[in-house]
Amino acid sequence: VTGLQKQLAYQGSLSLKSISLRDLLSALDVVIETAEPNALQDFSLASEFTGTDKKIQLDKLDMQLDKTQFTGFIAINDFATSAIKLNLQGDQLNIDHYLPPSSEEATEAAENSSGDEPLPLDALKTLNLNAKLQLAQLTIMELQMQDVNWTILSRNGMLEQDLSAKSYSGKLALKNQLDARQSPANVKFDLTAEGVEVTPLMNDLFK
C-alpha cells in the first residue's frame, strides 16, 4: 500500500479456497433458486490485484465456478460509475443451470400473458459493462455451441450483444441491441445461421 497521504495505491495477491456462493448469499438474506440445485455450490478464485481509491483490477485470474474454469481479468475501472470490464476465457458453461427453475405456475403465467408486460429495465439503465467471453463450449436453452466469442456492452441504458459460435456442424452469428433509453424499449435482433443442421438443433431446443 502506498500514497496514503495522496492517492491510495495498492497491489497484492488473492486466494479464495472453494466456498459455496449459495450459502454465502443465503447468509446475506439473498435467496437464489436455480434450475440446477447444485449450482453456485463450488466457487474458488486466485488472482493478482492492483488498485487505487478509484479502481481495482484482478489480473492473472484463475476462477472456478462449479464445473467451469475461467482465466483472464476482471476490473472495476471506476467505483463512482460501477464501470466493469472483463475478459474471460472458459472451458464449458451451461447457462441453463443458473436460470430460475421451471414450474407449472411459471408456464401457466407465460401462457396467459398478453405479451404487453414491460421489461424490468431499471437495472439495465445503471449497468456499465464491457465484457468479452471466450468459451470452448456453451449451453443455453439446451442449444449446444462451441468456440464461442461473446461480447456484451452496456452503458446508459443501451445493451449490445455480439455472439459468434460453431453449432450443429455450422456457424451461428447473433447481434442483439436493447435500447432502454426510451419507453417502450426498442429491441433489435439479428441471427445468421450458416450450414447448421436443423433437426438436431430442434431436437435439443424442444427437449
Side-chain angles (χ1 to χ4, degrees):
V1 179
T2 61
L4 293 178
Q5 296 180 340
K6 297 180 181 179
Q7 185 184 50
L8 175 66
Y10 50 88
Q11 61 181 11
S13 59
L14 172 66
S15 180
L16 180 64
K17 295 183 178 180
S18 180
I19 64 170
S20 169
L21 287 181
R22 187 181 294 273
D23 291 346
L24 177 60
L25 292 171
S26 179
L28 298 173
D29 293 327
V30 177
V31 178
I32 296 181
E33 295 185 358
T34 56
E36 169 52 57
N38 293 322
L40 303 175
Q41 293 284 17
D42 186 8
F43 176 79
S44 62
L45 180 150
S47 175
E48 296 181 0
F49 65 85
T50 57
T52 69
D53 56 346
K54 297 181 180 179
K55 62 182 181 180
I56 186 172
Q57 180 160 323
L58 303 182
D59 288 305
K60 298 181 180 179
L61 182 70
D62 189 352
M63 181 172 66
Q64 180 84 29
L65 176 61
D66 298 322
K67 296 180 179 180
T68 306
Q69 186 76 30
F70 288 107
T71 58
F73 77 83
I74 299 176
I76 302 177
N77 287 335
D78 186 353
F79 290 140
T81 60
S82 300
I84 300 171
K85 184 175 183 178
L86 61 89
N87 191 327
L88 297 176
Q89 298 79 48
D91 49 7
Q92 58 177 341
L93 176 63
N94 190 327
I95 291 182
D96 295 344
H97 288 175
Y98 301 93
L99 298 178
S102 59
S103 65
E104 294 182 3
E105 292 83 359
T107 301
E108 183 177 350
E111 291 176 349
N112 295 331
S113 171
S114 65
D116 297 328
E117 290 80 1
L119 295 171
L121 300 176
D122 289 343
L124 176 60
K125 292 178 180 179
T126 59
L127 180 62
N128 191 340
L129 175 66
N130 182 341
K132 293 183 179 180
L133 298 174
Q134 294 177 300
L135 297 163
Q137 183 173 333
L138 174 67
T139 301
I140 181 168
M141 295 177 61
E142 299 290 350
L143 299 179
Q144 308 296 319
M145 305 180 196
Q146 301 81 36
D147 297 337
V148 178
N149 287 281
W150 191 1
T151 300
I152 306 171
L153 299 174
S154 180
R155 186 175 176 84
N156 298 327
M158 172 71 80
L159 174 68
E160 296 178 279
Q161 296 188 80
D162 192 337
L163 184 149
S164 63
K166 296 178 181 178
S167 186
Y168 300 96
S169 302
K171 297 179 180 179
L172 293 176
L174 166 68
K175 293 183 182 293
N176 168 247
Q177 184 182 88
L178 173 57
D179 187 352
R181 297 172 298 181
Q182 53 186 308
S183 183
N186 184 42
V187 179
K188 295 180 180 179
F189 186 89
D190 182 24
L191 175 64
T192 302
E194 178 183 342
V196 173
E197 295 183 357
V198 176
T199 299
L201 184 152
M202 298 300 289
N203 289 340
D204 282 345
L205 185 60
F206 295 103
K207 278 184 178 179

